[in-house]
Amino acid sequence: MGQILDGKALADFKAVKLKLTVEKLRKQGTRPCFCVINIGEDPSSKIYLKTKKRRAAEIGIGQKVYQLKADVSQVELLALIAKLNRDDKVDGIMIQLPVPEQINLNEALEQIDPAKDVDCLTPSNVGRLWRGDHFVEPATAHGILALLDHYRINLRGKNVVIIGRSSIVGKPLAALMLERDATVSILHLQTSNLFEYTKRADIIVSAAGQAKLVTAAMIKPGAVIIDVGINRLDKQVVGDVDFASVAPKASYITPVPGGIGPLTVESLMEQVVKLARRKDGR
Ligand code: NDP
């Protein structure tokens, strides 16, 4: 049976440390604060917002949610972003995904001040990420690397397969893993044979959003399995990995829930603090 990579325990531990940092900063006059722009009433977004709010409050970070109507116009959204860019008290700005169809997400992201781009999604920050001189990291990718570091799982020379090429998980994670000298393959729906890649992988990260996508037959014995997926199956939250069959064959494996999810939220808070310190030169 593979060892469980306990993301929840690590997130709780890191949150205690971050809280101490935030207390110190507050004594020096810096109060980290971020804003989330949520458009419409997506039920999953509401859950994520609640989780972020709870973690932010626990650590002592300010969080303000701007709730916009589902039919908000692009112009109104851009005006809000411009206002938050100008507000000195705001250290981080993020747009909660998904956004409704009338919104041009890329155009909106381009308007966020890169110095406040807590999700690392503005073009200049994405460029910095690939160039290796970034000052902020996307939360999920940051959380995954923190977990691997904590369990001393080295990336140098490893064959890594990432399933999923989204801008928030797959692509930034590939950039950060390349920086750590891993050999990275990114798979997606047009990849003709997932097995061919996963069978050779030392580390598999699945961020596809499809329950039971990764099965025992797809992995080599001793592989490290990181499950990012969050899916609902028979009224239960499950990942992308068929945990029961894969865990006995893996060396390490993340559970869902309790794996990457809590680390993503904690890592987001770390990024807010990073941006606040950067702004205040601390
Ligand atoms: P997206 O839908 O944006 O991207 C999914 C990616 O997976 C796409 O690149 C898609 O390919 C690929 N994909 C889907 N099905 C398959 C398949 N059968 N074979 C190969 N590739 C496939 O999702 P996100 O990146 O936003 O999220 C992915 C999952 O991770 C979701 O379940 C989400 O809820 C979860 N998530 C969890 C987080 C956490 O903290 N634990 C944080 C963020 C997301 P293509 O590009 O060809 O369409």
Side-chain angles (χ1 to χ4, degrees), residues 162-196:
I162 301 172
I163 310 177
R165 57 174 163 182
S166 74
S167 308
I168 62 162
V169 187
K171 285 180 187 167
L173 180 63
L176 291 175
M177 286 185 154
L178 273 178
E179 221 177 279
R180 304 271 194 108
D181 294 331
T183 304
V184 184
S185 307
I186 310 182
L187 317 188
H188 46 79
L189 276 171
Q190 306 309 318
T191 305
S192 55
N193 190 350
L194 296 192
F195 277 66
E196 221 175 86

PDB file of all heavy atoms in Angstrom, residues 162-196:
ATOM      1  N   ILE A 162       1.559  14.845 -16.544  1.00  0.00           N
ATOM      2  CA  ILE A 162       0.458  15.656 -16.021  1.00  0.00           C
ATOM      3  C   ILE A 162      -0.732  15.452 -16.949  1.00  0.00           C
ATOM      4  O   ILE A 162      -0.624  15.668 -18.163  1.00  0.00           O
ATOM      5  CB  ILE A 162       0.836  17.158 -15.983  1.00  0.00           C
ATOM      6  CG1 ILE A 162       2.073  17.376 -15.116  1.00  0.00           C
ATOM      7  CG2 ILE A 162      -0.338  18.005 -15.474  1.00  0.00           C
ATOM      8  CD1 ILE A 162       2.637  18.801 -15.178  1.00  0.00           C
ATOM      9  N   ILE A 163      -1.845  15.009 -16.405  1.00  0.00           N
ATOM     10  CA  ILE A 163      -3.047  14.854 -17.243  1.00  0.00           C
ATOM     11  C   ILE A 163      -3.888  16.112 -17.050  1.00  0.00           C
ATOM     12  O   ILE A 163      -4.365  16.387 -15.949  1.00  0.00           O
ATOM     13  CB  ILE A 163      -3.853  13.590 -16.872  1.00  0.00           C
ATOM     14  CG1 ILE A 163      -2.927  12.363 -16.810  1.00  0.00           C
ATOM     15  CG2 ILE A 163      -4.983  13.367 -17.880  1.00  0.00           C
ATOM     16  CD1 ILE A 163      -3.620  11.071 -16.388  1.00  0.00           C
ATOM     17  N   GLY A 164      -4.045  16.885 -18.127  1.00  0.00           N
ATOM     18  CA  GLY A 164      -4.767  18.173 -18.053  1.00  0.00           C
ATOM     19  C   GLY A 164      -3.852  19.328 -18.397  1.00  0.00           C
ATOM     20  O   GLY A 164      -2.737  19.408 -17.887  1.00  0.00           O
ATOM     21  N   ARG A 165      -4.328  20.211 -19.280  1.00  0.00           N
ATOM     22  CA  ARG A 165      -3.482  21.321 -19.760  1.00  0.00           C
ATOM     23  C   ARG A 165      -4.109  22.673 -19.475  1.00  0.00           C
ATOM     24  O   ARG A 165      -3.949  23.622 -20.260  1.00  0.00           O
ATOM     25  CB  ARG A 165      -3.199  21.168 -21.248  1.00  0.00           C
ATOM     26  CG  ARG A 165      -4.468  21.097 -22.089  1.00  0.00           C
ATOM     27  CD  ARG A 165      -4.181  21.082 -23.581  1.00  0.00           C
ATOM     28  NE  ARG A 165      -5.336  20.629 -24.334  1.00  0.00           N
ATOM     29  CZ  ARG A 165      -5.346  20.492 -25.651  1.00  0.00           C
ATOM     30  NH1 ARG A 165      -4.270  20.765 -26.363  1.00  0.00           N
ATOM     31  NH2 ARG A 165      -6.439  20.066 -26.261  1.00  0.00           N
ATOM     32  N   SER A 166      -4.858  22.783 -18.385  1.00  0.00           N
ATOM     33  CA  SER A 166      -5.505  24.068 -18.117  1.00  0.00           C
ATOM     34  C   SER A 166      -4.478  25.098 -17.662  1.00  0.00           C
ATOM     35  O   SER A 166      -3.378  24.760 -17.210  1.00  0.00           O
ATOM     36  CB  SER A 166      -6.594  23.916 -17.049  1.00  0.00           C
ATOM     37  OG  SER A 166      -6.010  23.759 -15.783  1.00  0.00           O
ATOM     38  N   SER A 167      -4.884  26.385 -17.779  1.00  0.00           N
ATOM     39  CA  SER A 167      -3.983  27.479 -17.388  1.00  0.00           C
ATOM     40  C   SER A 167      -3.817  27.554 -15.883  1.00  0.00           C
ATOM     41  O   SER A 167      -2.867  28.155 -15.391  1.00  0.00           O
ATOM     42  CB  SER A 167      -4.546  28.820 -17.856  1.00  0.00           C
ATOM     43  OG  SER A 167      -4.844  28.749 -19.193  1.00  0.00           O
ATOM     44  N   ILE A 168      -4.786  26.982 -15.137  1.00  0.00           N
ATOM     45  CA  ILE A 168      -4.667  27.104 -13.683  1.00  0.00           C
ATOM     46  C   ILE A 168      -3.944  25.920 -13.037  1.00  0.00           C
ATOM     47  O   ILE A 168      -3.428  26.046 -11.946  1.00  0.00           O
ATOM     48  CB  ILE A 168      -6.040  27.350 -12.989  1.00  0.00           C
ATOM     49  CG1 ILE A 168      -7.002  26.184 -13.217  1.00  0.00           C
ATOM     50  CG2 ILE A 168      -6.663  28.654 -13.417  1.00  0.00           C
ATOM     51  CD1 ILE A 168      -8.153  26.198 -12.224  1.00  0.00           C
ATOM     52  N   VAL A 169      -3.902  24.772 -13.716  1.00  0.00           N
ATOM     53  CA  VAL A 169      -3.208  23.628 -13.095  1.00  0.00           C
ATOM     54  C   VAL A 169      -2.089  23.071 -14.000  1.00  0.00           C
ATOM     55  O   VAL A 169      -0.908  23.235 -13.710  1.00  0.00           O
ATOM     56  CB  VAL A 169      -4.184  22.480 -12.710  1.00  0.00           C
ATOM     57  CG1 VAL A 169      -3.430  21.418 -11.919  1.00  0.00           C
ATOM     58  CG2 VAL A 169      -5.376  22.967 -11.910  1.00  0.00           C
ATOM     59  N   GLY A 170      -2.476  22.420 -15.081  1.00  0.00           N
ATOM     60  CA  GLY A 170      -1.499  21.655 -15.866  1.00  0.00           C
ATOM     61  C   GLY A 170      -0.329  22.463 -16.385  1.00  0.00           C
ATOM     62  O   GLY A 170       0.838  22.094 -16.174  1.00  0.00           O
ATOM     63  N   LYS A 171      -0.627  23.576 -17.066  1.00  0.00           N
ATOM     64  CA  LYS A 171       0.472  24.336 -17.690  1.00  0.00           C
ATOM     65  C   LYS A 171       1.433  24.944 -16.657  1.00  0.00           C
ATOM     66  O   LYS A 171       2.648  24.779 -16.781  1.00  0.00           O
ATOM     67  CB  LYS A 171      -0.093  25.408 -18.622  1.00  0.00           C
ATOM     68  CG  LYS A 171      -0.634  24.840 -19.930  1.00  0.00           C
ATOM     69  CD  LYS A 171      -1.176  25.963 -20.786  1.00  0.00           C
ATOM     70  CE  LYS A 171      -1.885  25.438 -22.010  1.00  0.00           C
ATOM     71  NZ  LYS A 171      -2.678  26.502 -22.668  1.00  0.00           N
ATOM     72  N   PRO A 172       0.926  25.673 -15.646  1.00  0.00           N
ATOM     73  CA  PRO A 172       1.886  26.237 -14.688  1.00  0.00           C
ATOM     74  C   PRO A 172       2.668  25.176 -13.917  1.00  0.00           C
ATOM     75  O   PRO A 172       3.855  25.362 -13.625  1.00  0.00           O
ATOM     76  CB  PRO A 172       1.020  27.082 -13.737  1.00  0.00           C
ATOM     77  CG  PRO A 172      -0.387  26.657 -13.958  1.00  0.00           C
ATOM     78  CD  PRO A 172      -0.451  26.118 -15.360  1.00  0.00           C
ATOM     79  N   LEU A 173       2.013  24.050 -13.637  1.00  0.00           N
ATOM     80  CA  LEU A 173       2.727  22.987 -12.914  1.00  0.00           C
ATOM     81  C   LEU A 173       3.876  22.460 -13.774  1.00  0.00           C
ATOM     82  O   LEU A 173       4.971  22.203 -13.277  1.00  0.00           O
ATOM     83  CB  LEU A 173       1.755  21.851 -12.552  1.00  0.00           C
ATOM     84  CG  LEU A 173       2.378  20.690 -11.785  1.00  0.00           C
ATOM     85  CD1 LEU A 173       2.913  21.149 -10.434  1.00  0.00           C
ATOM     86  CD2 LEU A 173       1.367  19.568 -11.584  1.00  0.00           C
ATOM     87  N   ALA A 174       3.616  22.326 -15.074  1.00  0.00           N
ATOM     88  CA  ALA A 174       4.674  21.858 -15.981  1.00  0.00           C
ATOM     89  C   ALA A 174       5.859  22.817 -15.941  1.00  0.00           C
ATOM     90  O   ALA A 174       7.019  22.393 -15.879  1.00  0.00           O
ATOM     91  CB  ALA A 174       4.122  21.740 -17.400  1.00  0.00           C
ATOM     92  N   ALA A 175       5.573  24.130 -15.944  1.00  0.00           N
ATOM     93  CA  ALA A 175       6.661  25.121 -15.920  1.00  0.00           C
ATOM     94  C   ALA A 175       7.495  24.968 -14.651  1.00  0.00           C
ATOM     95  O   ALA A 175       8.734  24.950 -14.699  1.00  0.00           O
ATOM     96  CB  ALA A 175       6.074  26.532 -16.010  1.00  0.00           C
ATOM     97  N   LEU A 176       6.810  24.840 -13.506  1.00  0.00           N
ATOM     98  CA  LEU A 176       7.540  24.761 -12.233  1.00  0.00           C
ATOM     99  C   LEU A 176       8.306  23.443 -12.101  1.00  0.00           C
ATOM    100  O   LEU A 176       9.383  23.398 -11.511  1.00  0.00           O
ATOM    101  CB  LEU A 176       6.565  24.930 -11.058  1.00  0.00           C
ATOM    102  CG  LEU A 176       5.964  26.334 -10.922  1.00  0.00           C
ATOM    103  CD1 LEU A 176       4.930  26.376  -9.812  1.00  0.00           C
ATOM    104  CD2 LEU A 176       7.055  27.375 -10.659  1.00  0.00           C
ATOM    105  N   MET A 177       7.747  22.380 -12.666  1.00  0.00           N
ATOM    106  CA  MET A 177       8.444  21.084 -12.573  1.00  0.00           C
ATOM    107  C   MET A 177       9.656  21.041 -13.504  1.00  0.00           C
ATOM    108  O   MET A 177      10.674  20.435 -13.178  1.00  0.00           O
ATOM    109  CB  MET A 177       7.470  19.958 -12.862  1.00  0.00           C
ATOM    110  CG  MET A 177       6.515  19.724 -11.691  1.00  0.00           C
ATOM    111  SD  MET A 177       5.480  18.288 -11.996  1.00  0.00           S
ATOM    112  CE  MET A 177       5.085  17.782 -10.311  1.00  0.00           C
ATOM    113  N   LEU A 178       9.534  21.706 -14.654  1.00  0.00           N
ATOM    114  CA  LEU A 178      10.692  21.803 -15.558  1.00  0.00           C
ATOM    115  C   LEU A 178      11.835  22.523 -14.873  1.00  0.00           C
ATOM    116  O   LEU A 178      13.005  22.151 -15.001  1.00  0.00           O
ATOM    117  CB  LEU A 178      10.309  22.604 -16.815  1.00  0.00           C
ATOM    118  CG  LEU A 178       9.685  21.858 -17.977  1.00  0.00           C
ATOM    119  CD1 LEU A 178       9.329  22.846 -19.091  1.00  0.00           C
ATOM    120  CD2 LEU A 178      10.638  20.799 -18.515  1.00  0.00           C
ATOM    121  N   GLU A 179      11.469  23.556 -14.124  1.00  0.00           N
ATOM    122  CA  GLU A 179      12.458  24.328 -13.376  1.00  0.00           C
ATOM    123  C   GLU A 179      13.199  23.436 -12.378  1.00  0.00           C
ATOM    124  O   GLU A 179      14.340  23.694 -12.025  1.00  0.00           O
ATOM    125  CB  GLU A 179      11.722  25.418 -12.601  1.00  0.00           C
ATOM    126  CG  GLU A 179      12.412  26.748 -12.587  1.00  0.00           C
ATOM    127  CD  GLU A 179      11.545  27.755 -11.864  1.00  0.00           C
ATOM    128  OE1 GLU A 179      10.606  28.295 -12.490  1.00  0.00           O
ATOM    129  OE2 GLU A 179      11.769  27.964 -10.674  1.00  0.00           O
ATOM    130  N   ARG A 180      12.479  22.393 -11.906  1.00  0.00           N
ATOM    131  CA  ARG A 180      13.099  21.455 -10.948  1.00  0.00           C
ATOM    132  C   ARG A 180      13.741  20.265 -11.667  1.00  0.00           C
ATOM    133  O   ARG A 180      13.939  19.208 -11.078  1.00  0.00           O
ATOM    134  CB  ARG A 180      12.027  20.924  -9.985  1.00  0.00           C
ATOM    135  CG  ARG A 180      11.250  21.968  -9.228  1.00  0.00           C
ATOM    136  CD  ARG A 180      11.945  22.297  -7.932  1.00  0.00           C
ATOM    137  NE  ARG A 180      11.081  23.025  -7.040  1.00  0.00           N
ATOM    138  CZ  ARG A 180      10.542  22.499  -5.933  1.00  0.00           C
ATOM    139  NH1 ARG A 180      10.752  21.245  -5.628  1.00  0.00           N
ATOM    140  NH2 ARG A 180       9.807  23.254  -5.148  1.00  0.00           N
ATOM    141  N   ASP A 181      13.960  20.404 -12.963  1.00  0.00           N
ATOM    142  CA  ASP A 181      14.677  19.381 -13.746  1.00  0.00           C
ATOM    143  C   ASP A 181      13.924  18.067 -13.963  1.00  0.00           C
ATOM    144  O   ASP A 181      14.545  17.010 -14.149  1.00  0.00           O
ATOM    145  CB  ASP A 181      16.062  19.072 -13.124  1.00  0.00           C
ATOM    146  CG  ASP A 181      16.982  20.269 -13.209  1.00  0.00           C
ATOM    147  OD1 ASP A 181      16.826  21.071 -14.155  1.00  0.00           O
ATOM    148  OD2 ASP A 181      17.840  20.413 -12.323  1.00  0.00           O
ATOM    149  N   ALA A 182      12.597  18.120 -13.915  1.00  0.00           N
ATOM    150  CA  ALA A 182      11.818  16.933 -14.281  1.00  0.00           C
ATOM    151  C   ALA A 182      11.653  16.907 -15.798  1.00  0.00           C
ATOM    152  O   ALA A 182      11.768  17.941 -16.462  1.00  0.00           O
ATOM    153  CB  ALA A 182      10.456  16.976 -13.611  1.00  0.00           C
ATOM    154  N   THR A 183      11.386  15.719 -16.353  1.00  0.00           N
ATOM    155  CA  THR A 183      11.019  15.601 -17.765  1.00  0.00           C
ATOM    156  C   THR A 183       9.498  15.490 -17.782  1.00  0.00           C
ATOM    157  O   THR A 183       8.944  14.546 -17.230  1.00  0.00           O
ATOM    158  CB  THR A 183      11.658  14.343 -18.385  1.00  0.00           C
ATOM    159  OG1 THR A 183      13.067  14.430 -18.186  1.00  0.00           O
ATOM    160  CG2 THR A 183      11.344  14.234 -19.865  1.00  0.00           C
ATOM    161  N   VAL A 184       8.849  16.488 -18.379  1.00  0.00           N
ATOM    162  CA  VAL A 184       7.401  16.601 -18.200  1.00  0.00           C
ATOM    163  C   VAL A 184       6.631  16.350 -19.496  1.00  0.00           C
ATOM    164  O   VAL A 184       6.957  16.919 -20.538  1.00  0.00           O
ATOM    165  CB  VAL A 184       7.037  18.023 -17.680  1.00  0.00           C
ATOM    166  CG1 VAL A 184       5.548  18.112 -17.388  1.00  0.00           C
ATOM    167  CG2 VAL A 184       7.837  18.376 -16.432  1.00  0.00           C
ATOM    168  N   SER A 185       5.611  15.504 -19.420  1.00  0.00           N
ATOM    169  CA  SER A 185       4.671  15.344 -20.540  1.00  0.00           C
ATOM    170  C   SER A 185       3.308  15.833 -20.072  1.00  0.00           C
ATOM    171  O   SER A 185       2.885  15.503 -18.959  1.00  0.00           O
ATOM    172  CB  SER A 185       4.526  13.874 -20.937  1.00  0.00           C
ATOM    173  OG  SER A 185       5.770  13.295 -21.190  1.00  0.00           O
ATOM    174  N   ILE A 186       2.641  16.601 -20.913  1.00  0.00           N
ATOM    175  CA  ILE A 186       1.287  17.060 -20.572  1.00  0.00           C
ATOM    176  C   ILE A 186       0.303  16.344 -21.493  1.00  0.00           C
ATOM    177  O   ILE A 186       0.400  16.458 -22.718  1.00  0.00           O
ATOM    178  CB  ILE A 186       1.131  18.586 -20.760  1.00  0.00           C
ATOM    179  CG1 ILE A 186       2.262  19.350 -20.063  1.00  0.00           C
ATOM    180  CG2 ILE A 186      -0.215  19.051 -20.231  1.00  0.00           C
ATOM    181  CD1 ILE A 186       2.139  20.855 -20.168  1.00  0.00           C
ATOM    182  N   LEU A 187      -0.636  15.620 -20.909  1.00  0.00           N
ATOM    183  CA  LEU A 187      -1.615  14.873 -21.701  1.00  0.00           C
ATOM    184  C   LEU A 187      -2.960  15.597 -21.668  1.00  0.00           C
ATOM    185  O   LEU A 187      -3.246  16.355 -20.742  1.00  0.00           O
ATOM    186  CB  LEU A 187      -1.795  13.455 -21.154  1.00  0.00           C
ATOM    187  CG  LEU A 187      -0.529  12.681 -20.743  1.00  0.00           C
ATOM    188  CD1 LEU A 187      -0.900  11.227 -20.424  1.00  0.00           C
ATOM    189  CD2 LEU A 187       0.539  12.714 -21.810  1.00  0.00           C
ATOM    190  N   HIS A 188      -3.771  15.347 -22.682  1.00  0.00           N
ATOM    191  CA  HIS A 188      -5.081  16.007 -22.783  1.00  0.00           C
ATOM    192  C   HIS A 188      -6.029  15.111 -23.569  1.00  0.00           C
ATOM    193  O   HIS A 188      -5.679  13.967 -23.895  1.00  0.00           O
ATOM    194  CB  HIS A 188      -4.934  17.399 -23.415  1.00  0.00           C
ATOM    195  CG  HIS A 188      -4.067  17.391 -24.633  1.00  0.00           C
ATOM    196  ND1 HIS A 188      -4.533  16.978 -25.854  1.00  0.00           N
ATOM    197  CD2 HIS A 188      -2.749  17.680 -24.781  1.00  0.00           C
ATOM    198  CE1 HIS A 188      -3.541  17.037 -26.714  1.00  0.00           C
ATOM    199  NE2 HIS A 188      -2.443  17.458 -26.098  1.00  0.00           N
ATOM    200  N   LEU A 189      -7.181  15.645 -23.907  1.00  0.00           N
ATOM    201  CA  LEU A 189      -8.196  14.800 -24.558  1.00  0.00           C
ATOM    202  C   LEU A 189      -7.776  14.309 -25.942  1.00  0.00           C
ATOM    203  O   LEU A 189      -8.275  13.283 -26.415  1.00  0.00           O
ATOM    204  CB  LEU A 189      -9.525  15.557 -24.650  1.00  0.00           C
ATOM    205  CG  LEU A 189     -10.399  15.479 -23.391  1.00  0.00           C
ATOM    206  CD1 LEU A 189     -11.577  16.441 -23.493  1.00  0.00           C
ATOM    207  CD2 LEU A 189     -10.901  14.055 -23.162  1.00  0.00           C
ATOM    208  N   GLN A 190      -6.888  15.026 -26.584  1.00  0.00           N
ATOM    209  CA  GLN A 190      -6.457  14.594 -27.923  1.00  0.00           C
ATOM    210  C   GLN A 190      -5.249  13.667 -27.876  1.00  0.00           C
ATOM    211  O   GLN A 190      -4.760  13.221 -28.922  1.00  0.00           O
ATOM    212  CB  GLN A 190      -6.124  15.820 -28.806  1.00  0.00           C
ATOM    213  CG  GLN A 190      -7.236  16.856 -28.912  1.00  0.00           C
ATOM    214  CD  GLN A 190      -8.569  16.242 -29.291  1.00  0.00           C
ATOM    215  OE1 GLN A 190      -8.635  15.361 -30.152  1.00  0.00           O
ATOM    216  NE2 GLN A 190      -9.642  16.672 -28.638  1.00  0.00           N
ATOM    217  N   THR A 191      -4.753  13.382 -26.676  1.00  0.00           N
ATOM    218  CA  THR A 191      -3.625  12.434 -26.553  1.00  0.00           C
ATOM    219  C   THR A 191      -4.147  11.050 -26.925  1.00  0.00           C
ATOM    220  O   THR A 191      -5.130  10.578 -26.341  1.00  0.00           O
ATOM    221  CB  THR A 191      -3.081  12.417 -25.106  1.00  0.00           C
ATOM    222  OG1 THR A 191      -2.741  13.748 -24.734  1.00  0.00           O
ATOM    223  CG2 THR A 191      -1.872  11.521 -24.973  1.00  0.00           C
ATOM    224  N   SER A 192      -3.478  10.419 -27.905  1.00  0.00           N
ATOM    225  CA  SER A 192      -4.080   9.201 -28.453  1.00  0.00           C
ATOM    226  C   SER A 192      -4.028   8.014 -27.494  1.00  0.00           C
ATOM    227  O   SER A 192      -4.953   7.229 -27.433  1.00  0.00           O
ATOM    228  CB  SER A 192      -3.442   8.854 -29.794  1.00  0.00           C
ATOM    229  OG  SER A 192      -2.059   8.757 -29.615  1.00  0.00           O
ATOM    230  N   ASN A 193      -2.959   7.884 -26.713  1.00  0.00           N
ATOM    231  CA  ASN A 193      -2.878   6.715 -25.834  1.00  0.00           C
ATOM    232  C   ASN A 193      -2.269   7.115 -24.492  1.00  0.00           C
ATOM    233  O   ASN A 193      -1.046   7.187 -24.347  1.00  0.00           O
ATOM    234  CB  ASN A 193      -2.041   5.640 -26.528  1.00  0.00           C
ATOM    235  CG  ASN A 193      -2.112   4.323 -25.784  1.00  0.00           C
ATOM    236  OD1 ASN A 193      -2.637   4.256 -24.667  1.00  0.00           O
ATOM    237  ND2 ASN A 193      -1.577   3.277 -26.381  1.00  0.00           N
ATOM    238  N   LEU A 194      -3.135   7.367 -23.515  1.00  0.00           N
ATOM    239  CA  LEU A 194      -2.647   7.801 -22.200  1.00  0.00           C
ATOM    240  C   LEU A 194      -1.693   6.759 -21.605  1.00  0.00           C
ATOM    241  O   LEU A 194      -0.676   7.104 -21.005  1.00  0.00           O
ATOM    242  CB  LEU A 194      -3.808   8.009 -21.226  1.00  0.00           C
ATOM    243  CG  LEU A 194      -4.860   9.093 -21.491  1.00  0.00           C
ATOM    244  CD1 LEU A 194      -5.711   9.293 -20.258  1.00  0.00           C
ATOM    245  CD2 LEU A 194      -4.252  10.404 -21.907  1.00  0.00           C
ATOM    246  N   PHE A 195      -2.025   5.478 -21.777  1.00  0.00           N
ATOM    247  CA  PHE A 195      -1.254   4.390 -21.186  1.00  0.00           C
ATOM    248  C   PHE A 195       0.228   4.497 -21.526  1.00  0.00           C
ATOM    249  O   PHE A 195       1.085   4.281 -20.685  1.00  0.00           O
ATOM    250  CB  PHE A 195      -1.755   3.029 -21.725  1.00  0.00           C
ATOM    251  CG  PHE A 195      -2.948   2.502 -20.997  1.00  0.00           C
ATOM    252  CD1 PHE A 195      -4.159   3.153 -21.064  1.00  0.00           C
ATOM    253  CD2 PHE A 195      -2.850   1.337 -20.253  1.00  0.00           C
ATOM    254  CE1 PHE A 195      -5.267   2.649 -20.406  1.00  0.00           C
ATOM    255  CE2 PHE A 195      -3.953   0.829 -19.587  1.00  0.00           C
ATOM    256  CZ  PHE A 195      -5.161   1.483 -19.668  1.00  0.00           C
ATOM    257  N   GLU A 196       0.485   4.775 -22.806  1.00  0.00           N
ATOM    258  CA  GLU A 196       1.856   4.833 -23.298  1.00  0.00           C
ATOM    259  C   GLU A 196       2.712   5.757 -22.427  1.00  0.00           C
ATOM    260  O   GLU A 196       3.881   5.508 -22.190  1.00  0.00           O
ATOM    261  CB  GLU A 196       1.793   5.419 -24.713  1.00  0.00           C
ATOM    262  CG  GLU A 196       2.686   4.791 -25.722  1.00  0.00           C
ATOM    263  CD  GLU A 196       2.387   5.414 -27.076  1.00  0.00           C
ATOM    264  OE1 GLU A 196       2.977   6.477 -27.361  1.00  0.00           O
ATOM    265  OE2 GLU A 196       1.536   4.857 -27.803  1.00  0.00           O
TER     266      GLU A 196
END
